[in-house]
Amino acid sequence: MTRLEELLLKWHDQMIAQEELQELTAALKEPESRRQLLESFAFDAQIVEALHALKAVEQTAHSARQFQTLELRDSEVFPTTGSSRIKALLARCASVASIHTLVESRWTQVAAALVAVALIAAFVVFGSGGTVATIEGTAVGATVVRGGKVLAAKPGFALKVGDRIKTSPDNSALVRYLTEPTQIKLQAGTQLKIDQDLAGKRLELLVGTISAKVAPQPAGHPMLISTPQAEAKVVGTEFLLSVDASSTHLEVIEGAVRICNRDEGKAVFVGRDHYATVARGAELTARSLLPAPWNSQDIGAVGMTGYARIEGHRCKIKAAGKGDAKSNDQFHFLYQALESDGEIRVRVVDVEHTHNLAKAGVLIRDNLKPTCAQAFLYLKAGSGLAFEHRGQSDGTVDWAGNETAPFWLRLVKQREWIRAYKSADGVNWIEVGSDQIKMRGKIYLGLGVSSWNNSKLTTSIFDNVNVISAGTNLLSSASEP
C-alpha cells in the first residue's frame, strides 16, 4: 500500500490527523499524485461491481451527476487540460448504480475511499480556481477581496474558494451555491470568507450577521462556520449567526446546529426555536427564543417554514401561507393556551407587502388543526381590516374597516361568544363584529401572519402584546351578548 493509499484509507475511516490531512491535500496538488490517483480506477469489473453495495459509493454516484452538471454549466470548474479524464472518471462512477454485489476486503475500503476522495479532489484541486457560488440580488456596495485585490460584487459575481465578501453598512447580499440549494444572506456590515477542503465546506464569519438555509450535507462532511469565538457545525438546517468583537450568537429556525466555544472546547446542540451565545464568562447553553408560555408553529401547508421571535416588548413573525376562510388555514401562529375564557390585544406595527391579501392580526382558536373553529381579526398589507370567523363547518369574512398598520386589534372570548374590536390609540375601542362559536375546553390565543404567497415569507411586527385570562376580570369591559 502506497503512502497516498494509506492517507486515503485513514481519511475514509475518519481517523486522519490534521497534519496527515494537510499532507494528503498537498499530495493531491502534485500532478504525479493525481495521475496515480486516476490510474487507480483501472479496477477489474468484479471490484467495481462490489462497490455499489457500499453506501459511500451510492453517495458518490449522486455526487458525480452533480459535478457533471456543474461542468456543463460552468466550464471554469474543470480546466481543458485533463478534462477528458475527469469526464471519464465521473461517467465510470455514475455507472456503478447498476451493480449489486458486496465484496468485504481491505482493498474494497481503499477503493471506496479513492472514489469518494477523487471526486472531492477533482473539485478542490482541479476546481480550485473555479466558481463555487454566485452573488445574487442587488448587492449594492458589496465588494470581494481576492488575492489582495478589491473587486466590485455585482449581481451574478462568481465566487471562488478563498474569496472574502464584504457588504456595505446599508445593504445586504445573497450568496447561492452552484451544486446544491444552499444560500447564505449577508446582512449589512458583514464580512464572510468562503473556503473548502477535503473535509467539506468552510466559512469564516469575521464580523456581522448571516442567515442561512443549508442543504443536507454529505455524511461526515458538515459545513463548518468559524468565528473569533466559536465554530458551528451544520449538517443541514436554517439559522441565523452573528458575531461582534466579544461574542457569537446563534439562532436556529429549523433543524439543529452544534456550536462550540473555541477557547474552552465546550459544545452544545441548538435546536429549532432555540439560541445560544458564546462569550467569555457566559454559560454556553441552548435557550428558547420564545419565553414561556409562548409557543409557535405553522398551521396548514404553508409552503415555507415560518418562525416567531419575541424581543422585549416587540414581536416579529415571518410566515408564508395562502388559505381560505372556509376550510383551509395556512399561516404562522404565535400562541398561548388558556384553560378558560380570555382576550388578546396588540398593536400591529407593520405588515410586509408580499401580496395585497397578506395579513397579520389576532386569533382565538379551538385547536391547532387547519380546519378548526376560530376567530381571526387582521389587517391586510394592501389596506383594510377584516374579521374572519368560522364554526365547525363554514366560515365568513366581514369587512371591518379601511385601517392600515400601525393599528390596535383586540379579540375577547366570553363563554360561547367572541367579539372583535379595533382602536387607533389602544384606549378607546370600537366593536367591529362578533360571532357565537363553540370551543371545547382549552383555547389558543395569539398572533397570526400569512404572506398569501407559499413561495415567499412576509415579515410582520407587533408590539404591546397582551394576553389575559378571564380570572383577571378584564372581560368586564366587554358587554354581554
Side-chain angles (χ1 to χ4, degrees):
M1 181 182 295
T2 67
R3 176 58 176 169
L4 179 59
E5 293 168 358
E6 180 184 354
L7 291 173
L8 290 172
L9 183 58
K10 285 187 174 183
W11 175 85
H12 176 261
D13 292 338
Q14 298 185 14
M15 298 176 60
I16 191 167
Q18 185 63 35
E19 58 272 15
E20 291 176 323
L21 181 61
Q22 294 174 353
E23 181 184 350
L24 176 59
T25 303
L28 291 173
K29 291 181 180 179
E30 295 294 329
E32 179 61 23
S33 295
R34 296 200 299 270
R35 183 188 63 78
Q36 293 177 3
L37 181 64
L38 292 174
E39 290 178 352
S40 296
F41 286 92
F43 304 123
D44 62 33
Q46 292 180 346
I47 294 181
V48 175
E49 289 176 355
L51 293 177
H52 177 64
L54 299 175
K55 183 178 180 181
V57 177
E58 294 175 352
Q59 296 173 339
T60 299
H62 175 67
S63 299
R65 291 191 293 272
Q66 289 182 315
F67 277 84
Q68 207 167 23
T69 303
L70 176 59
E71 183 179 16
L72 295 175
R73 180 169 59 238
D74 188 347
S75 60
E76 289 188 44
V77 175
F78 300 114
T80 302
T81 303
S83 62
S84 60
R85 277 186 169 183
I86 299 297
K87 291 178 181 177
L89 165 63
L90 297 177
R92 187 76 175 274
C93 291
S95 68
V96 178
S98 63
I99 308 171
H100 302 280
T101 307
L102 174 63
V103 174
E104 292 288 345
S105 70
R106 196 60 175 165
W107 173 247
T108 300
Q109 296 179 22
V110 175
L114 284 169
V115 174
V117 173
L119 288 171
I120 297 173
F123 185 69
V124 173
V125 179
F126 292 108
S128 60
T131 302
V132 296
T134 59
I135 291 180
E136 299 187 0
T138 55
V140 177
T143 57
V144 172
V145 178
R146 177 183 295 166
K149 297 181 179 180
V150 179
L151 309 173
K154 299 179 180 179
F157 187 96
L159 293 168
K160 305 176 186 297
V161 171
D163 284 352
R164 188 176 69 190
I165 313 158
K166 181 179 180 180
T167 56
S168 70
D170 302 315
N171 294 281
S172 61
L174 181 66
V175 172
R176 190 181 299 274
Y177 276 82
L178 293 180
T179 59
E180 61 184 61
T182 292
Q183 60 184 45
I184 300 169
K185 184 176 182 179
L186 285 71
Q187 305 292 350
T190 296
Q191 294 186 45
L192 180 71
K193 182 181 178 183
I194 294 182
D195 210 342
Q196 187 157 317
D197 59 23
L198 290 175
K201 299 178 183 65
R202 289 182 177 269
L203 298 174
E204 184 177 359
L205 180 58
L206 305 171
V207 68
T209 301
I210 61 172
S211 55
K213 293 182 180 179
V214 179
Q217 300 298 292
H221 302 283
M223 173 184 282
L224 298 178
I225 307 176
S226 62
T227 75
Q229 301 86 17
E231 182 178 78
K233 181 181 292 187
V234 184
V235 174
T237 185
E238 184 175 352
F239 62 92
L240 179 145
L241 187 68
S242 60
V243 62
D244 56 29
S246 60
S247 66
T248 295
H249 181 75
L250 169 69
E251 296 182 8
V252 176
I253 299 167
E254 191 69 27
V257 176
R258 180 182 184 272
I259 189 166
C260 175
N261 185 315
R262 297 179 66 174
D263 291 336
E264 301 176 1
K266 181 180 179 181
V268 296
F269 281 93
V270 184
R272 185 181 190 272
D273 286 335
H274 283 69
Y275 74 95
T277 300
V278 178
R280 180 170 296 179
E283 181 186 5
L284 179 57
T285 186
R287 296 182 172 89
S288 175
L289 281 160
L290 300 175
W294 290 102
N295 293 281
S296 80
Q297 71 173 68
D298 288 318
I299 302 294
V302 295
M304 297 182 68
T305 303
Y307 64 92
R309 300 289 180 263
I310 296 177
E311 303 163 350
H313 297 291
R314 294 171 68 88
C315 171
K316 178 172 69 175
I317 299 177
K318 282 184 173 288
K322 182 180 180 180
D324 62 78
K326 290 188 175 182
S327 61
N328 184 22
D329 294 334
Q330 292 182 14
F331 59 90
H332 194 76
F333 190 26
L334 173 67
Y335 65 90
Q336 294 183 22
L338 294 184
E339 298 292 343
S340 61
D341 290 341
E343 78 162 74
I344 178 168
R345 60 177 70 180
V346 71
R347 187 174 74 128
V348 182
V349 178
D350 185 50
V351 186
E352 184 181 1
H353 195 291
T354 50
H355 190 281
N356 280 340
L357 298 179
K359 57 188 179 183
V362 290
L363 291 99
I364 297 179
R365 294 175 60 85
D366 186 38
N367 56 56
L368 301 176
K369 297 179 180 179
T371 58
C372 76
Q374 72 160 7
F376 192 175
L377 178 65
Y378 55 83
L379 287 170
K380 293 186 289 186
S383 80
L385 178 65
F387 179 44
E388 176 182 312
H389 44 100
R390 181 175 71 234
Q392 295 298 327
S393 59
D394 58 1
T396 303
V397 177
D398 300 327
W399 187 257
N402 294 308
E403 287 76 15
T404 58
F407 208 77
W408 290 78
L409 306 179
R410 177 185 177 196
L411 283 178
V412 178
K413 180 183 183 299
Q414 190 172 26
R415 294 192 289 276
E416 293 185 357
W417 282 88
I418 296 180
R419 295 181 178 275
Y421 299 85
K422 66 180 181 180
S423 174
D425 56 12
V427 177
N428 301 296
W429 295 92
I430 301 172
E431 184 174 336
V432 296
S434 64
D435 194 10
Q436 190 172 15
I437 303 176
K438 291 184 178 180
M439 295 187 178
R440 305 181 185 89
K442 182 185 296 185
I443 61 172
Y444 298 82
L445 296 81
L447 309 176
V449 174
S450 172
S451 66
W452 209 257
N453 184 341
N454 278 337
S455 62
K456 189 172 184 179
L457 295 173
T458 187
T459 302
S460 292
I461 306 296
F462 306 82
D463 64 13
N464 293 280
V465 184
N466 203 353
V467 174
I468 304 177
S469 67
T472 64
N473 294 322
L474 190 63
L475 293 177
S476 60
S477 60
S479 59
E480 293 289 330

